[in-house]
Amino acid sequence: FFTFQQIAYLVDSYRQETKEYDFLNYALFVTFFPQLIAGPIVRYHDIADQITDREKNYTPDVKLSGFYTFCIGLAKKVIIANTIGMQADDVFKLGSEHIDTAAAWVGAIAYTFQIYFDFSGYSDMAIGLCKIMGIRLPENFNNPYLSSSITEFWRRWHITLGTWMKNYLYIPL
């Protein structure tokens, strides 16, 4: 995520979409810990105004909403993902001679949901922490497993990564 954000900053600077070049604001953007390792991927010009003026997003209601979002993300990670992950691990520990069709399906489905709740939980925790600090980040997951097609699934899964790929890979190529 660090690399994606740096590429976006450099390309946006080259395209002159990033107008401000204040080193301290840039350093804060680069080292902003809540979303640095787990996303969501943000573009500098999308949060530059929030870095310089957090007052409009620094209200008690926004902080409370951020705490709530953080708690939801923590529950997704600790309660759901870790519990489902133990089930997936139990299946994957079995030797191939001990895995029947039902166990294989249980392992595959458990692992699928473990990955989702891990990523979604981390993103929600980052979004919540940022709200508490007065910075709003974009949503990163929108119930991808409720999608009716692969295309819709991709649009709902890790939304900011898909947007990044569209803006910095697909369209330029």
Side-chain angles (χ1 to χ4, degrees):
F1 298 101
F2 176 81
T3 303
F4 291 147
Q5 287 189 179
Q6 294 315 298
I7 291 170
Y9 184 82
L10 289 172
V11 171
D12 288 349
S13 295
Y14 177 77
R15 294 176 181 166
Q16 297 181 345
E17 293 176 13
T18 299
K19 306 275 189 240
E20 180 186 349
Y21 297 101
D22 182 84
F23 179 75
L24 291 177
N25 290 343
Y26 169 75
L28 176 62
F29 169 71
V30 170
T31 60
F32 197 55
F33 75 92
Q35 51 72 245
L36 189 60
I37 59 170
I41 301 168
V42 294
R43 297 169 69 177
Y44 180 75
H45 68 81
D46 290 339
I47 66 166
D49 293 340
Q50 296 179 66
I51 290 174
T52 57
D53 181 22
R54 293 188 322 218
E55 294 304 317
K56 64 183 173 189
N57 292 328
Y58 204 63
T59 64
D61 289 341
V62 173
K63 288 184 207 180
L64 188 59
S65 170
F67 181 72
Y68 175 77
T69 302
F70 177 83
C71 290
I72 294 295
L74 186 62
K76 283 180 182 179
K77 167 63 182 126
V78 174
I79 297 171
I80 301 172
N82 289 355
T83 303
I84 293 173
M86 287 188 292
Q87 181 65 44
D89 289 344
D90 289 343
V91 172
F92 295 145
K93 287 178 189 174
L94 297 173
S96 59
E97 65 276 356
H98 299 295
I99 296 180
D100 59 1
T101 303
W105 275 106
V106 167
I109 291 169
Y111 186 66
T112 300
F113 281 101
Q114 177 194 6
I115 288 173
Y116 167 71
F117 284 110
D118 263 340
F119 286 144
S120 178
Y122 282 134
S123 287
D124 286 350
M125 287 190 287
I127 291 166
L129 282 176
C130 290
K131 275 186 184 178
I132 291 169
M133 294 179 204
I135 294 181
R136 290 182 181 258
L137 298 181
E139 289 298 319
N140 213 15
F141 291 90
N142 183 14
N143 301 314
Y145 290 130
L146 298 179
S147 302
S148 58
S149 69
I150 296 295
T151 306
E152 184 182 1
F153 178 86
W154 177 250
R155 271 189 242 126
R156 291 171 169 235
W157 178 276
H158 213 309
I159 297 166
T160 59
L161 178 61
T163 302
W164 187 93
M165 292 176 87
K166 180 183 79 174
N167 290 333
Y168 299 102
L169 288 177
Y170 179 72
I171 291 173
L173 291 175

